[in-house]
Amino acid sequence: MQYASFLAPNGSETWGVVIDEVAHDLGPSGLNLAATIRESIEKGIFGTDLDLTGAPTYAEAELTFLPSLHNPGKIICIGVNYRAHQEESGKTGQTAPTVFTRFADSQMGHLADAVKPASTTKFDYEGEMALVIGKDAWHVTEEDSWDYIAGYGAYNDFSVRDWQKAASQWIPGKNFPSTGGFGPYLVPAADLGDVNELTLETRVNGETRQKASVSDLVFTIPQLMAYVTGFTKLNPGDVIVTGTPGGVGLFWGEGGLLNAGDVVEVEITGLGILRNTVANEIN
């Protein structure tokens, strides 16, 4: 099942299930089962067998997508967590995950512009897989970690490299407005099977730049769950963005970084294609 957050035809924020390119409105402008996908997770109805009878429907092609979860309490991002990316960046031998935060209001949805800040010449892509927490998670063991995951989605952690590299802390380069692409869908964990078998691919203007199996993660999903919940409590609807493979623009070579008009796609098996076009910031 593919869940999405979007604007209804009347402009209100809502959410629903997309089946055969038709969105069934389950939010405030529809069946009103919950205000947001996050609330549907909190109420325990996300990923369950829902009765769609009477739900307003809209053609997917006409939707204005919002970030799959546009109101998470926390977005925890993991850096250099694929072997090839560690090697290209010279950051091998880590004994613990690299962790930074992204603010919820820096996100945008599928088909929205990725805004290149006027203050940078080094705008980059990072295709990633995000997981969403399904219940209160604190000191979760690796063995129990899968039970705490509600679902997964594609993510693009667009990065402002000069701001990121200016100091040891990455937060400034990861939180400009409209630089965190999330979507188009959030897919329940139960619908995906073994996520280690999924393939992540990032394309720029149709050219494949990144391609890796989720099994190539240095710190696995259970290890990330145990580590992150070892220092902060996670709540339903919180997000962990698990890392990007090798092939980011910074190390791709001449012309690897992004400019206005570039179309970036992140495709993950079973999770759809997240597509964003780069646009220059308008002062």
Side-chain angles (χ1 to χ4, degrees), residues 178-227:
S178 297
T179 59
F182 193 6
Y185 313 118
L186 189 64
V187 177
D191 293 352
L192 286 175
D194 185 358
V195 295
N196 290 309
E197 297 180 357
L198 306 184
T199 297
L200 186 158
E201 181 174 344
T202 306
R203 296 181 292 271
V204 178
N205 301 325
E207 176 185 33
T208 298
R209 296 285 188 87
Q210 297 179 294
K211 190 170 184 177
S213 170
V214 173
S215 64
D216 291 340
L217 286 170
V218 176
F219 296 100
T220 66
I221 288 173
Q223 288 173 323
L224 294 177
M225 285 288 296
Y227 185 79

Side-chain angles (χ1 to χ4, degrees), residues 28 92 98 115 120 134 138 165 169 192 201 210 250 280:
T92 57
T98 297
V115 178
T120 189
W138 178 233
K165 302 294 184 180
Q169 299 298 319
L192 286 175
E201 181 174 344
Q210 297 179 294
L250 186 66
N280 287 330

Side-chain angles (χ1 to χ4, degrees), residues 213-277:
S213 170
V214 173
S215 64
D216 291 340
L217 286 170
V218 176
F219 296 100
T220 66
I221 288 173
Q223 288 173 323
L224 294 177
M225 285 288 296
Y227 185 79
V228 172
T229 63
F231 71 83
T232 188
K233 181 181 178 181
L234 298 179
N235 301 301
D238 286 347
V239 178
I240 298 178
V241 187
T242 58
T244 197
V248 298
L250 186 66
F251 302 112
W252 183 260
E254 186 176 357
L257 293 167
L258 299 172
N259 294 294
D262 288 336
V263 178
V264 188
E265 297 175 313
V266 179
E267 181 173 8
I268 303 177
T269 314
L271 301 181
I273 301 173
L274 168 64
R275 181 181 298 110
N276 300 100
T277 300

